[in-house]
Amino acid sequence: MSDISTTLDLNEQERARILAKSALFAPPPAVLPDGRRDLVGLSREELIAEMAEFGEKPFRAKQLWHWIYHQGATDFARMSSIAKPLQAKLAERYVVGRPATSLEQTSSDDTRKFLFRFRDGQEAETVYIPDRREDRGAVCISSQVGCTLSCTFCHTGTQKLVRNLGAAEIVSQFMAARDSYGEWPSPKGETPRLLSTIVLMGMGEPLYNYDNVAKAMRIVMDGEGIALSRRRITLSTSGVVPMMDRCGEELAVNLAISLHAVTNDLRDKIVPLNRKYPIEELMAACRRYPAASNSRRITFEYIMLRGINDSEADARELVRLIKGLPAKVNLIPFNPWPGSEFKPSTREQLQKFAAIVMDAGFAAPIRMPRGRDILAACGQLKTESERLRRSTTADAE
């Protein structure tokens, strides 16, 4: 058996372990206290089955799908292609939900941060980052309440994992952001394009909540609804190697790697996940990623920490690691947060580092911090949601 086959077999075993652990942090059922069920987050097949149980034919699910994901309707009375008696019956049994907005802040640079509250009272943050060059931008979506990774430079990492977000809670972050910007189609059929991209770079590690993330992204990519291309979706991971393979096979969205160090000794300290999946395994998984190409490069995210990982030697080792890959590097000045021990690299050192990477033929933009004044920049997200008390927590850790 080849080394690759052995790796993939071991990855299958590890995937099963990851998914079993993920189930311990499952979201609550998508049912209101009054017994009504939320239709948001159901797959097409599930929606068809739900309507069949309700006594309706498959075309009814298609109508609902259009109204929920293309028109953004949350009120059955707005669904004009459905007869009023049926609208009333649907409203008795179902809802089309959104998270509550606990807080909405807009930065001086027009970045907007939402603190969304879900039905069990837990909260997560979502950020819209406008592109000043174009009339569009990216929605940075959370996949978990809290995070399990504890990266030392990341504010989110200081909030322990509470639970996974469900598919409905993930996709509805984007839908609620659309509500805020009034971006659903107008009566004249005009559709603004402000929220044009999704980046799964908010709170949590998406690949530790793969099933819910994948389900949500399939809903987002459906051509008869929100209809975002997989080229408009980027999933960021700190390197959950076994699930990277599955993500590439099943979703083929753009991939971003939170790398931040080029040696195992340092990465073990600042990205503890590296102790389980070291750099050599991570880079091998990047080379296997089927969606990577010159037109869809893997992005390597690299937080620049003064005197820690920003030397010219680090830059040259980074070039060696990504050699032969269709790749780009995002150099991210460290964004301070209360209690952090790190300092951002100097402008001079940032430019020296970038020059070495670019001279090797890789794009290496220095990402300008956005939303710092509202703690919406990279690595600054954190909520006050409490860790859930459950008997399984000790086993999960």
Side-chain angles (χ1 to χ4, degrees):
M1 184 179 289
S2 69
D3 289 343
I4 292 178
S5 297
T6 301
T7 297
L8 294 178
D9 285 346
L10 291 173
N11 281 352
E12 282 290 346
Q13 298 171 25
E14 183 66 5
R15 285 180 200 175
R17 190 196 66 79
I18 290 169
L19 293 173
K21 181 176 178 179
S22 177
L24 298 174
F25 294 94
V31 178
L32 276 66
D34 63 11
R36 290 184 297 167
R37 181 173 186 179
D38 195 347
L39 294 181
V40 175
L42 296 182
S43 68
R44 268 189 179 272
E45 295 74 19
E46 288 170 337
L47 187 55
I48 290 170
E50 187 66 36
M51 286 301 100
E53 185 179 330
F54 189 62
E56 294 291 324
K57 295 183 178 179
F59 83 91
R60 192 68 69 195
K62 185 173 183 178
Q63 284 182 317
L64 287 167
W65 190 273
H66 172 83
W67 282 109
I68 293 169
Y69 296 115
H70 183 72
Q71 296 291 337
T74 57
D75 186 347
F76 292 106
R78 271 196 56 208
M79 302 180 183
S80 56
S81 61
I82 297 175
K84 288 186 177 180
L86 182 54
Q87 290 175 357
K89 285 177 61 180
L90 287 166
E92 289 174 0
R93 185 160 172 176
Y94 302 108
V95 296
V96 179
R98 294 286 194 276
T101 303
S102 295
L103 183 66
E104 184 174 318
Q105 298 171 284
T106 302
S107 167
S108 58
D109 62 17
D110 295 327
T111 297
R112 187 172 296 181
K113 182 170 77 169
F114 305 89
L115 177 62
F116 289 130
R117 175 168 290 186
F118 304 104
R119 292 198 181 100
D120 64 350
Q122 300 296 343
E123 295 175 326
E125 291 184 327
T126 303
V127 178
Y128 171 64
I129 308 163
D131 186 336
R132 289 174 169 173
R133 299 165 299 177
E134 302 181 50
D135 194 19
R136 58 180 56 192
V139 183
C140 181
I141 286 177
S142 294
S143 56
Q144 296 178 309
V145 179
C147 188
T148 190
L149 298 183
S150 303
C151 297
T152 56
F153 53 82
C154 181
H155 199 203
T156 311
T158 65
Q159 179 184 342
K160 297 298 184 181
L161 177 64
V162 176
R163 66 168 175 82
N164 290 329
L165 293 177
E169 294 168 325
I170 294 168
V171 72
S172 65
Q173 291 175 63
F174 183 79
M175 297 167 77
R178 271 196 163 180
D179 293 345
S180 178
Y181 281 88
E183 195 180 289
W184 300 101
S186 70
K188 296 181 180 179
E190 300 166 351
T191 306
R193 296 285 297 170
L194 295 176
L195 282 65
S196 61
T197 304
I198 285 177
V199 290
L200 284 152
M201 297 182 183
M203 300 173 64
E205 166 55 65
L207 294 186
Y208 274 150
N209 185 23
Y210 178 78
D211 285 344
N212 287 308
V213 166
K215 187 177 181 183
M217 291 305 102
R218 290 188 186 103
I219 291 170
V220 166
M221 291 187 288
D222 187 284
E224 294 183 358
I226 292 172
L228 279 191
S229 161
R230 56 176 42 90
R231 293 174 176 270
R232 292 278 182 185
I233 299 170
T234 298
L235 184 146
S236 176
T237 178
S238 290
V240 186
V241 168
M243 305 309 295
M244 287 170 60
D245 292 322
R246 184 173 172 189
C247 179
E249 294 160 7
E250 297 180 356
L251 296 180
V253 295
N254 299 322
L255 185 67
I257 302 297
S258 294
L259 187 62
H260 311 310
V262 293
T263 67
N264 283 319
D265 285 347
L266 178 57
R267 200 164 188 266
D268 284 351
K269 295 174 183 176
I270 66 174
V271 185
L273 183 66
N274 195 74
R275 299 167 194 164
K276 183 172 292 186
Y277 309 114
I279 288 175
E280 296 79 11
E281 293 183 21
L282 173 58
M283 298 309 298
C286 289
R287 295 180 189 283
R288 293 194 299 269
Y289 195 73
S293 66
N294 286 331
S295 62
R296 298 181 64 197
R297 293 170 292 175
I298 294 175
T299 300
F300 289 88
E301 308 280 348
Y302 199 93
I303 293 277
M304 297 290 286
L305 304 171
R306 188 186 305 181
I308 303 293
N309 65 352
D310 63 349
S311 71
E312 288 94 324
D314 288 318
R316 288 189 287 272
E317 178 61 13
L318 175 58
V319 167
R320 188 193 70 79
L321 283 176
I322 64 177
K323 184 178 180 180
L325 273 171
K328 63 177 283 191
V329 178
N330 273 347
L331 298 178
I332 307 168
F334 172 67
N335 296 305
W337 42 268
S340 61
E341 61 183 277
F342 299 106
K343 294 181 180 180
S345 299
T346 64
R347 188 71 187 176
E348 178 185 13
Q349 197 61 26
L350 273 166
Q351 291 172 342
K352 286 181 180 178
F353 196 105
I356 291 171
V357 179
M358 288 189 290
D359 286 347
F362 298 97
I366 299 172
R367 187 193 293 174
M368 296 305 296
R370 304 292 299 276
R372 270 184 171 177
D373 54 328
I374 57 172
L375 290 181
C378 180
Q380 290 186 317
L381 302 186
K382 184 179 179 181
T383 73
E384 298 304 317
S385 287
E386 296 293 331
R387 189 179 181 85
L388 292 179
R389 303 294 180 186
R390 58 173 77 200
S391 60
T392 54
T393 298
D395 294 334
E397 295 183 334

